[in-house]
Amino acid sequence: MNIKVVHSHFIEVYVPTLELECFDIYEHDDFYNQDKIHALLSHIDETLERQGIHLVAPFFLDVSIKNIGVVLGFRLIKPIDQDEHTHAQDVVENQNGECIAFVFSDFEWVISVSYRLKALGIHGGELYRHNGSYFMVQPIKQNERTTLRMLSVLEEYGQKTGVSVQVLKEYGNVIYPSRAVEQIVHTFKE
């Protein structure tokens, strides 16, 4: 089993086929058997506990079945409670407080994510261009549900990055210094 803490509200767990067989999970249909899935999730929870990561309910579970195993994505409403390390590596600081930065390889993805964020009521953010990629910086919202939804959408289109706002301002090009989502949606109307 391979566990990756993507950020404070998302954990990705890869379970290879051989390990799935230990829980009598052999086919796609076995994922509809509550007893088998409960046993697998209990095992994952125990493994996370041993690593000092405590899942706090409620959470959403994304399941992606691959030929070589399964990837389980835990999208948490409340941030992960970790003993040894925090989500500080995921969060960057700007003048207005905690933010999270995502990198996009193509501007089309930036436009698409902006429309999705606007639909959630998110209008702010900053947009930079640096080393051939686009970086969107969004403030962490006080409302955990809004933050989780925002992170979910950003993860669909881009990748989280630890590049600081200071680096982007110093070495990158500022495209939108504020209200990036609103300005992108306004400029690139469907």
Side-chain angles (χ1 to χ4, degrees):
M1 180 180 312
N2 183 11
I3 297 168
K4 178 181 175 186
V5 177
V6 178
H7 55 74
S8 65
H9 288 82
F10 189 76
I11 298 175
E12 190 174 82
V13 178
Y14 166 71
V15 185
T17 303
L18 289 174
E19 200 165 338
L20 289 173
E21 291 173 358
C22 295
F23 297 95
D24 291 329
I25 299 173
Y26 297 97
E27 298 176 10
H28 180 270
D29 290 341
D30 289 334
F31 281 94
Y32 295 103
N33 183 319
Q34 286 185 343
D35 295 332
K36 292 178 181 182
I37 295 304
H38 181 67
L40 176 63
L41 292 175
S42 293
H43 175 69
I44 291 171
D45 189 45
E46 290 169 10
T47 304
L48 290 170
E49 290 283 333
R50 283 194 300 272
Q51 293 187 10
I53 301 171
H54 310 287
L55 288 180
V56 180
F59 56 81
F60 300 98
L61 182 61
D62 299 328
V63 179
S64 178
I65 301 171
K66 311 284 185 186
N67 288 340
I68 56 173
V70 66
V71 178
L72 301 166
F74 294 86
R75 295 183 188 280
L76 309 166
I77 301 294
K78 297 181 180 179
I80 300 166
D81 181 16
Q82 294 180 286
D83 292 339
E84 296 180 7
H85 62 289
T86 65
H87 70 288
Q89 70 273 13
D90 301 336
V91 176
V92 294
E93 286 284 328
N94 76 357
Q95 309 144 314
N96 304 324
E98 285 190 336
C99 293
I100 192 153
F102 277 77
V103 61
F104 303 87
S105 57
D106 192 325
F107 193 72
E108 293 297 320
W109 294 117
V110 175
I111 295 170
S112 296
V113 79
S114 296
Y115 272 94
R116 294 276 310 279
L117 290 173
K118 184 175 186 275
L120 293 175
I122 297 168
H123 304 282
E126 303 166 20
L127 186 67
Y128 300 88
R129 180 150 171 87
H130 178 57
N131 288 340
S133 297
Y134 297 91
F135 292 80
M136 183 175 280
V137 178
Q138 285 290 338
I140 299 295
K141 307 294 182 190
Q142 296 300 322
N143 180 325
E144 291 177 3
R145 183 170 287 268
T146 302
T147 297
L148 180 61
R149 288 179 178 159
M150 176 186 72
L151 293 174
S152 236
V153 169
L154 287 166
E155 286 171 352
E156 283 182 46
Y157 294 91
Q159 293 182 328
K160 182 191 65 63
T161 179
V163 175
S164 72
V165 176
Q166 290 75 20
V167 168
L168 293 172
K169 284 183 178 178
E170 189 170 336
Y171 299 106
N173 298 322
V174 179
I175 298 173
Y176 295 113
S178 65
R179 304 196 60 79
V181 170
E182 180 181 307
Q183 292 183 54
I184 291 167
V185 169
H186 179 73
T187 303
F188 300 94
K189 295 177 182 171
E190 289 185 300

